[in-house]
Amino acid sequence: MPALFEAFTQSQSFDNKSAYSPSSACEHLTIPTLGAHTGGASHIIQFRDTLRFTTDFEQALLMALAYSIAAEALLINEKCCFDDPRWTNVLQSSRDSPEIFTNRSELGISLLLLMIRVPAVAKRVGHVVVIQDILQDSDFDTIAADVRTGDFSNWWVLLDISIIINILASRMLFAIAPQDRALLEEEVQNLAVELKGLQGLVGENRRARFYLA
């Protein structure tokens, strides 16, 4: 059990409504969890369940952690906890921005919903690659079709995420679609050039430079 989740359960009286209050969420799901305690934050969010994320504050906090949790799931080869219809509804209900390029805009939410699907698809691709000797061509075609069906804050954040999702999708296709490898490799290299160019465009914006690093 991640230390952050263990600390949360030990510090809360579960017959007390304060265990589920927004102030409790603020105390335990703070920005420092993004680095060292992403796994624990994920457990706490799941423990609170979807019905607990109803206020604007709680939804904003959820959005602040969602990408880190999705990235963690990808790194440990697990399905993202948000890749579930109940959590998808919560994330979709978090739209609250008239701007186009923000995390809570329609575009931002759409990109997040794509990102949370990536870990599960990557896990399936990895499994297929490991057992490829016993599979038929149709099995590879099925997984490749799933990757291709994906319609894969600030403009640089969303653009960066979009490029990374496309690079990941291309790399997964590279592993299971050998006939397309030359084209996919060229595509990845072009995307890498775009990502490098994006790093140059952010200039002296320290937050952007840190994020893109």
Side-chain angles (χ1 to χ4, degrees), residues 67 106-116 151-152 157-159 161-162 165:
Y67 279 112
E106 184 172 353
L107 176 59
I109 298 294
S110 296
L111 280 174
L112 175 58
L113 295 179
L114 284 176
M115 184 63 194
I116 63 178
D151 299 321
F152 289 110
V157 175
L158 298 181
L159 181 55
I161 292 168
S162 176
I165 288 174

Side-chain angles (χ1 to χ4, degrees), residues 33-35 38 64-73:
T33 66
L34 291 174
T38 302
L65 291 162
Y67 279 112
S68 293
I69 291 173
E72 178 77 6

